[in-house]
Amino acid sequence: MQRSAPGTGAALSGSNAGGATADPAIAQSATVAAPQTGAGPARLAFVLAGGGSLGAVQAGMLAELIANDLRPDLVVGVSAGALNGAFLAHDPSSATIERMVALWTGVRTRDVLGLSFGSLLALVGLRSHFAHARGVRQLLERELPYRQIEAARVPLHLVAAEQHTGVEVLLSRGDLIEAVLASTAIPGVFPPVAIGGRTLVDGVVATGTPISTAVRLGATRLIIVPCGFTCVGRAIPRHPIGRAMHAFALLGARQLRTDFENYGARAELHLVPPLCPMAQSPYDYSQGAALIAAARTATRRWLDRGGLESAEFPPEFLPHTHP
């Protein structure tokens, strides 16, 4: 069963497989900026990757970027980065960071994953997903101070994927909560979301870190803010949902390296290094405060060492494990 957005839904950008064209009304309303040309001022994008509960790490990184007076011209987010991006784009200030820290510190696994008796139906093939998204929806309805994507003070673009083709779908207008739910709908874990006639799932299926999306939107300087991945072998979760979330994190990390290499000549890229070693599972939401504190310390150190003057790909993102 899929959830359908009420009302008009979000504006979509993306191509259909097989040469089919998108709904003209949807295509015309998509708010995709043309890339800038010439020697105009740099457009700074915060590019926010996914990573389940490791979104707390990303919140800590963002806290230090904001504390250093860095303000984006646009925000592009996918999966957990879509959730963080929705908050940040409303008002990239210390007050917003405090709200995000409170959210990641207070949330628990049961609040996010919403496992229930109905989860058993997925085990016998009678339901397409293990968890419902009511907890995430309630959290967003309670904490987000606005409801339409275009109401953000900083242009906000959230990435989802079309369920049947894996094509990237960019959500730039419309219902914010439905867009965040679509971008975070891990296949098999959460139900897909229907928006604008398309059935959407987690954007990591299409792009683990939307560097290419930000470049297409006209960004010339990108600060890529990851969540990282579990690299301590004993911490890799045994729970099937945890393993699915871990696999998504690895998928995003691998694609990040490829995109970093492919787009380094087209834009100025700066990648905040992830926490390493990482012994936290993306399935476990109980350590938000500790992750935020560790990420703030590491990001502050990176900034102090001239991280924003370097285009180096952090070695912590290369495939590796710790005992």
Side-chain angles (χ1 to χ4, degrees):
M1 180 179 179
Q2 68 190 34
R3 290 172 285 122
S4 181
T8 58
L12 310 183
S13 172
S15 59
N16 290 325
T21 56
D23 184 322
I26 294 171
Q28 291 171 6
S29 62
T31 55
V32 180
Q36 286 189 335
T37 58
R43 296 188 72 215
L44 173 62
F46 280 10
V47 179
L48 311 183
S53 68
L54 302 184
V57 174
Q58 188 175 77
M61 295 173 174
L62 289 170
E64 287 304 310
L65 295 176
I66 295 300
N68 278 267
D69 294 326
L70 290 160
R71 297 295 185 272
D73 298 305
L74 66 156
V75 174
V76 184
V78 63
S79 200
L83 188 151
N84 280 331
F87 283 91
L88 186 71
H90 171 68
D91 177 24
S93 66
S94 58
T96 297
I97 292 298
E98 290 176 6
R99 181 188 290 265
M100 293 168 63
V101 167
L103 185 154
W104 284 106
T105 300
V107 73
R108 293 294 178 262
T109 304
R110 64 179 178 273
D111 301 326
V112 176
L113 293 176
L115 299 178
S116 65
F117 178 78
S119 302
L120 297 176
L121 298 176
L123 293 174
V124 294
L126 297 179
R127 196 169 83 169
S128 65
H129 53 279
F130 276 94
H132 60 72
R134 286 194 296 273
V136 180
R137 179 184 292 278
Q138 290 169 358
L139 181 151
L140 294 172
E141 290 175 345
R142 183 178 67 248
E143 301 292 341
L144 278 173
Y146 65 118
R147 291 293 180 266
Q148 296 295 117
I149 298 173
E150 59 269 34
R153 296 177 188 178
V154 176
L156 173 65
H157 306 275
L158 305 181
V159 177
E162 209 285 324
Q163 177 177 247
H164 302 296
T165 64
V167 168
E168 176 186 317
V169 178
L170 191 63
L171 306 172
S172 301
R173 293 183 59 190
D175 190 301
L176 175 63
I177 290 177
E178 293 298 325
V180 173
L181 291 174
S183 185
T184 57
I186 300 172
V189 177
F190 292 113
V193 180
I195 298 178
R198 282 180 164 177
T199 303
L200 305 181
V201 295
D202 196 304
V204 173
V205 172
T207 177
T209 305
I211 293 174
S212 61
T213 309
V215 172
R216 290 200 310 272
L217 288 165
T220 55
R221 186 182 184 219
L222 282 62
I223 299 179
I224 303 150
V225 191
C227 294
F229 60 91
T230 306
C231 56
V232 175
R234 57 182 166 78
I236 295 174
R238 296 184 178 183
H239 191 286
I241 294 180
R243 285 192 175 271
M245 297 174 77
H246 176 64
F248 258 54
L250 291 177
L251 176 65
R254 289 180 182 274
Q255 187 172 352
L256 173 57
R257 184 182 184 187
T258 300
D259 286 351
F260 197 89
E261 293 173 350
N262 289 341
Y263 287 89
R266 298 177 57 181
E268 180 183 335
L269 306 181
H270 304 287
L271 174 55
V272 183
L275 294 181
C276 182
M278 171 59 73
Q280 178 73 19
S281 161
Y283 172 73
D284 181 4
Y285 286 78
S286 67
Q287 302 298 316
L291 292 174
I292 289 169
R296 292 199 69 156
T297 299
T299 303
R300 190 181 310 123
R301 186 183 307 120
W302 177 73
L303 289 168
D304 290 344
R305 292 176 177 174
L308 289 177
E309 283 72 56
S310 171
E312 178 184 78
F313 186 84
E316 297 91 343
F317 263 115
L318 300 176
H320 70 281
T321 58
H322 302 274

